[in-house]
Amino acid sequence: MLKKSISFFHPRDLIYNFFVYSKTMNTEKNFLINGLNYKYRLTNFQLSCLIEKFIEKKGIDSSNIAVALNETLVKKSEWNKTKISENDRIEIVVPFAGG
Amino acid sequence: MDKLFIDGISFESRLIMGTSLFPNIDILNKSLEKSGSEIITMAVRRLNVSGDNDFIKQVKKKFRFLPNTAGCFTKKEAILTAELARELLQTNWIKLELISDEEMLLPDPIELFETCKELIKKGFKVFAYCSDDPILCKRLEDEGCVSVMPLVSPIGSGLGIRNEHNLELIRKMCSGLIFVDAGIGQPSDASKIMELGFDGVLLNSSVARSLDPPTMAEAMKLAVASGRLGFKSGLIEKSKLALNSTTFKGKISNF
């Protein structure tokens, strides 16, 4: 019985944990951004990382956007403190012409 | 012209301009310049991954922004849009638009009233786009809206003033700021609204969709100023009979 208990530092479990960890980290996760599905392989499940991934190479300045996660505003100062999960719904908005 | 005070800030112009539907950014900038406006409205929309997202940077002059919740049908949508706008534009001003149908774009008064209360609690300065119902306008004002903004006819219709009597009642019942925010078709509509004692006019389509938007913007500016000066100088009472302006006294004779 004792042998079956999980020991994080046991070499066998260390290898197993590393395997599980790397598998999780290397799997593409789906996020619904502005109503469309996007798959990203993230190493860090912070909202700020996802936003960075999304706007990179698009020439978009992050100071000109606002973000909501699952229908709740997340202030810019909170992006790097906010955890995201697979299938989260993210809205990224900009100012636009309006009457 | 007397200054306009909104939320403790003074403005020279009583014309608020919308920024949508202009043929291009140059015409928009020229029109905003000619309008003399100091406040412009703006919307919040999803980032366009393949297009232009720099609208705000393309507006040349410095303006105060009045973001809107255009296109929102529910309280939840409107509140989140307002919060996103506040984060994006760093202003707690919000033009609350909460519409009830896609065809007429008429405001939903019940949802609007409830949402106003919630937004005010959250620290927003609410400019409530509403129907031209005097009681609703009064209730919104009492609830603490910075300004009520009744329509005179449906958005973008250009139908102008459809119920002048209601506008007179609204002005009589509400002591705070009132702007007209939809339905203006021509400069004389804007002028008439100002003559009725309204504090200002918000318009977009009548300028943006005209053949020459910068010139129409100037016409609207002059119309708003003219109506305001007329109102402030005291319009004469209407009479059903003629009142001669040239005296009969001294007339040569009655042949």
Side-chain angles (χ1 to χ4, degrees):
Chain A
M1 282 299 283
L2 205 66
K3 275 206 162 183
K4 275 190 106 181
S5 69
I6 294 169
S7 154
F8 191 82
F9 297 104
H10 189 284
R12 178 203 61 205
D13 293 331
L14 264 177
I15 292 164
Y16 174 77
N17 287 339
F18 179 75
F19 174 74
V20 169
Y21 176 78
S22 42
K23 195 166 183 212
T24 313
M25 287 302 135
N26 287 323
T27 308
E28 281 190 330
K29 302 274 184 198
N30 185 67
F31 299 96
L32 194 68
I33 306 175
N34 288 351
L36 296 172
N37 287 303
Y38 289 87
K39 290 194 189 299
Y40 286 108
R41 189 170 283 130
L42 298 174
T43 49
N44 189 335
F45 282 80
Q46 282 169 344
L47 180 61
S48 53
C49 291
L50 180 66
I51 294 166
E52 213 172 284
K53 279 255 182 200
F54 187 75
I55 65 174
E56 77 181 354
K57 294 174 193 164
K58 293 188 180 90
I60 294 155
D61 185 353
S62 67
S63 63
N64 290 334
I65 59 174
V67 174
L69 173 64
N70 298 327
E71 286 91 49
T72 304
L73 170 79
V74 183
K75 290 187 174 184
K76 214 159 279 181
S77 56
E78 301 292 318
W79 288 356
N80 58 2
K81 297 173 201 159
T82 306
K83 291 280 174 202
I84 46 166
S85 312
E86 185 155 29
N87 296 324
D88 270 349
R89 298 177 306 283
I90 292 127
E91 295 286 346
I92 304 178
V93 297
V94 291
F96 199 78
Chain B
M1 195 165 59
D2 60 323
K3 285 190 176 177
L4 167 72
F5 286 88
I6 308 176
D7 193 21
I9 305 161
S10 80
F11 298 94
E12 301 287 339
S13 170
R14 290 175 176 270
L15 174 61
I16 301 178
M17 284 284 291
T19 54
S20 199
L21 303 173
F22 284 84
N24 59 51
I25 199 77
D26 284 339
I27 293 178
L28 167 68
N29 276 316
K30 277 181 197 153
S31 303
L32 293 179
E33 187 68 44
K34 289 275 188 181
S35 74
S37 294
E38 293 156 278
I39 305 169
I40 57 172
T41 58
M42 207 152 274
V44 169
R45 286 294 178 266
R46 284 172 166 171
L47 180 86
N48 182 356
V49 288
S50 55
D52 192 2
N53 293 290
D54 282 336
F55 177 72
I56 208 161
K57 286 184 184 162
Q58 293 171 354
V59 176
K60 280 184 186 160
K61 217 178 121 190
K62 279 269 174 206
F63 291 95
R64 189 161 184 105
F65 298 127
L66 174 57
N68 68 28
T69 62
C72 289
F73 282 82
T74 66
K75 182 180 171 181
K76 193 178 168 186
E77 258 186 323
I79 289 174
L80 180 57
T81 305
E83 288 178 327
L84 286 164
R86 179 159 64 179
E87 172 79 356
L88 208 49
L89 298 165
Q90 299 298 305
T91 176
N92 55 4
W93 286 16
I94 190 75
K95 181 165 86 90
L96 179 61
E97 288 186 37
L98 235 163
I99 50 174
S100 57
D101 72 290
E102 283 182 27
E103 196 181 22
M104 299 301 292
L105 302 175
L106 291 171
D108 179 334
I110 297 158
E111 197 81 346
L112 177 81
F113 187 72
E114 291 304 317
T115 311
C116 267
K117 288 203 282 189
E118 190 85 17
L119 285 173
I120 291 166
K121 266 190 224 159
K122 285 176 177 279
F124 283 94
K125 304 282 181 181
V126 180
F127 297 65
Y129 164 64
C130 56
S131 41
D132 60 347
D133 174 347
I135 304 298
L136 175 66
C137 289
K138 179 70 181 140
R139 290 288 305 272
L140 288 166
E141 181 181 85
D142 290 348
E143 212 50 54
C145 289
V146 166
S147 172
V148 285
M149 296 184 138
L151 51 76
V152 290
S153 48
I155 293 177
S157 67
L159 286 170
I161 299 165
R162 310 309 289 174
N163 194 339
E164 190 178 324
H165 179 57
N166 265 24
L167 295 182
E168 284 170 358
L169 289 173
I170 291 168
R171 183 63 284 181
K172 211 172 171 183
M173 290 172 76
C174 298
S175 54
L177 289 177
I178 321 173
F179 281 78
V180 157
D181 173 19
I184 290 165
Q186 52 207 22
S188 56
D189 294 331
S191 196
K192 180 74 199 174
I193 288 158
M194 297 308 290
E195 283 170 7
L196 291 172
F198 280 62
D199 296 283
V201 166
L202 193 163
L203 50 86
N204 190 157
S205 302
S206 52
V207 169
R209 283 169 35 208
S210 68
L211 288 177
D212 182 355
T215 306
M216 184 61 86
E218 189 176 11
M220 289 298 183
K221 171 190 165 179
L222 296 171
V224 167
S226 164
R228 180 67 183 176
L229 290 173
F231 168 74
K232 289 298 277 184
S233 39
L235 303 170
I236 62 164
E237 273 185 38
K238 287 183 169 55
S239 161
K240 292 203 172 178
L241 300 174
L243 292 166
N244 57 311
S245 50
T246 304
T247 181
F248 282 104
K249 198 176 167 188
K251 180 177 173 286
I252 49 172
S253 80
N254 289 317
F255 295 110

